[in-house]
Amino acid sequence: LVETLNIIQAANRFRAIGRMIYDRFAYLDKDLKVIPWAMESWQRSGDREFIIKMRAGMTFHDGKPVTVQDVKFSLDFLVRYDRGFFWTANQYLVSTEIVSEADRTLKLTFKQPYGQFESYFLLLNVILPKHIWETILVDQKVGDDPRALRFEKPIGSGPFMCGRYQQDTQLQLLANKNHFSKPSIDELLILVSPSIDGILGRL
């Protein structure tokens, strides 16, 4: 069931969908090689540090540019508030420091040498729009629990934008034609059929 559009609260189904709405740092190809996505490149800098460089020219679905400030905010927010799915990858992150806004680079420092940086950290984390999320906990009066946040149309920077949504019924995703890897289809309609009878009826 598509029970929520909050990627922090979401179970497996919407997390997979959410990765089409929010850009991840990297992904695995069919040969299980780590391929850059929102991150253009990364390199180790010492035993516990990595320098990451963002892809240029990215924008959120509302037209605002994606910046290193958004990346820093996303990681700082998830480290501070999340104790769910993202925490498993971010529990060792100590700090995120902007090295150069012009060069789109940041330095990530971990508590200890982190062997899963490429195979897990880059694949799991997404970029949240700072201009929406920085006051959202206060605006929605949910305290320090981002799992309680409510979204009608989440804004990301990914290849698909959220369209029509009916809880536990259907979700429409619209192609983001401005994305650096724009989809070859115009839209994707996800229909929920909670029973075998319902699936057979649709067939």
Side-chain angles (χ1 to χ4, degrees), residues 61-76:
H61 298 153
D62 59 4
K64 295 188 180 298
V66 179
T67 70
V68 290
Q69 295 286 348
D70 294 294
V71 177
K72 175 174 169 52
F73 169 82
S74 300
L75 293 173
D76 290 347

Side-chain angles (χ1 to χ4, degrees), residues 36-50:
W37 188 251
M39 296 295 105
E40 182 179 290
S41 62
W42 54 85
Q43 61 182 9
R44 186 182 299 274
S45 175
D47 291 339
R48 299 183 300 115
E49 296 176 350
F50 289 86

Side-chain angles (χ1 to χ4, degrees), residues 52-180:
I52 63 175
K53 182 172 184 176
M54 285 181 54
R55 181 186 291 270
M58 295 171 58
T59 59
F60 290 109
H61 298 153
D62 59 4
K64 295 188 180 298
V66 179
T67 70
V68 290
Q69 295 286 348
D70 294 294
V71 177
K72 175 174 169 52
F73 169 82
S74 300
L75 293 173
D76 290 347
F77 183 94
L78 292 170
V79 166
R80 180 176 180 182
Y81 293 111
D82 178 56
R83 289 298 176 269
F85 181 65
F86 292 99
W87 178 81
T88 59
N90 297 329
Q91 59 183 309
Y92 303 110
L93 183 61
V94 174
S95 65
T96 305
E97 176 187 343
I98 296 174
V99 176
S100 170
E101 293 204 32
D103 291 336
R104 311 180 307 282
T105 54
L106 302 95
K107 181 174 75 173
L108 310 181
T109 303
F110 294 86
K111 297 176 184 177
Q112 59 196 48
Y114 189 33
Q116 289 184 298
F117 177 76
E118 290 187 353
S119 61
Y120 195 41
F121 182 90
L122 293 177
L123 306 182
L124 197 70
N125 278 298
V126 297
I127 302 176
L128 306 172
K130 180 181 177 181
H131 63 281
I132 294 175
W133 283 73
E134 64 181 337
T135 62
I136 200 169
L137 294 174
V138 174
D139 294 343
Q140 294 196 16
K141 300 177 182 177
V142 296
D144 290 342
D145 186 5
R147 294 170 300 174
L149 293 170
R150 302 170 305 280
F151 294 89
E152 292 183 6
K153 282 191 176 183
I155 300 293
S157 59
F160 284 93
M161 302 178 287
C162 189
R164 187 172 62 254
Y165 170 63
Q166 291 176 286
Q167 185 175 1
D168 290 341
T169 302
Q170 64 175 269
L171 171 63
Q172 178 194 37
L173 297 178
L174 303 172
N176 176 11
K177 298 299 186 179
N178 295 319
H179 195 265
F180 59 84

